Amino acid sequence: MTKTVLVLNGPNLNLLGTREPEIYGSDTLASIEDASRKRAENLGLAVEFRQSNTEGDLVDWVQEARLSYAALIVNAGAYTHTSVALLDALLAVDIPVIEVHLSNINQREEFRHHSYVSKAADGMICGLGGFGYELALESLARTLGSLKED
Ligand code: DQA
C-alpha cells in the first residue's frame, strides 16, 4: 500500500507567490504542492498538503498524523519560533518528521534562529525555496523504504 506523507503549512503560507517574493520566491503553495505530488509519485509515495493560519489546526493535524500517516513534513511558518504546543504535539509522534523552510531562517532576524519544531524533527531543510519540500520527500522515501531500487 502506498505510504502517505502529510505536509503541514502554517500561517501566511497561503500567500506564497505574492508575499515578500524577494524572500520567499514566486512559487505559490499550489505549485509547490503540484511539484511535491509529482516527486512523491516518482518516489513511490503519496502526499497530502494542508495549510492553516491557526495554531490549533496544526496541533490537531499532527495528532491525526500519529494514527493515519507514514511521515510528516512541517513548515510551521511563524509558529516555528513560538509554539510549545506544536512542539509537544510533535514530540508525541513517533513517525519521521522533517522541518522545511523556504527561506534560510539562520540568515534572517535573530528571533527566527530558534525553532521549537527542530527539537522534534529528524532533519531540517531551509533556504532552498519550494524545492526543499521535494528534498524532504527524497529523504523520507529512503527512511520509509518506498524506493523501488531499495
Ligand atoms: C518560514 C520562515 C518563518 O520564519 C516565517 O515566519 C514564515 C515562513 C519559511 O518557510 O521560510 O512564515 O517558515
Side-chain angles (χ1 to χ4, degrees), residues 80 87 90-91 97 99 114-122 124:
T80 303
L87 168 61
L90 289 165
L91 288 172
V97 176
E99 175 181 6
H114 177 263
S115 165
Y116 282 105
V117 172
S118 283
K119 297 201 178 300
D122 298 293
M124 196 264 256

Side-chain angles (χ1 to χ4, degrees), residues 56-131:
D57 287 344
L58 297 169
V59 170
D60 285 345
W61 291 340
V62 170
Q63 290 187 12
E64 185 188 334
R66 288 170 72 211
L67 307 172
S68 314
Y69 292 87
L72 265 172
I73 295 173
V74 181
N75 181 352
Y79 290 135
T80 303
H81 317 297
T82 62
S83 181
V84 176
L86 187 57
L87 168 61
D88 284 348
L90 289 165
L91 288 172
V93 164
D94 54 12
I95 57 176
V97 176
I98 309 274
E99 175 181 6
V100 170
H101 299 282
L102 298 140
S103 64
N104 184 345
I105 55 174
N106 295 308
Q107 275 181 351
R108 300 182 62 195
E109 304 95 318
E110 193 86 26
F111 66 85
R112 294 186 204 275
H113 297 180
H114 177 263
S115 165
Y116 282 105
V117 172
S118 283
K119 297 201 178 300
D122 298 293
M124 196 264 256
I125 297 165
C126 75
L128 301 177
F131 187 54

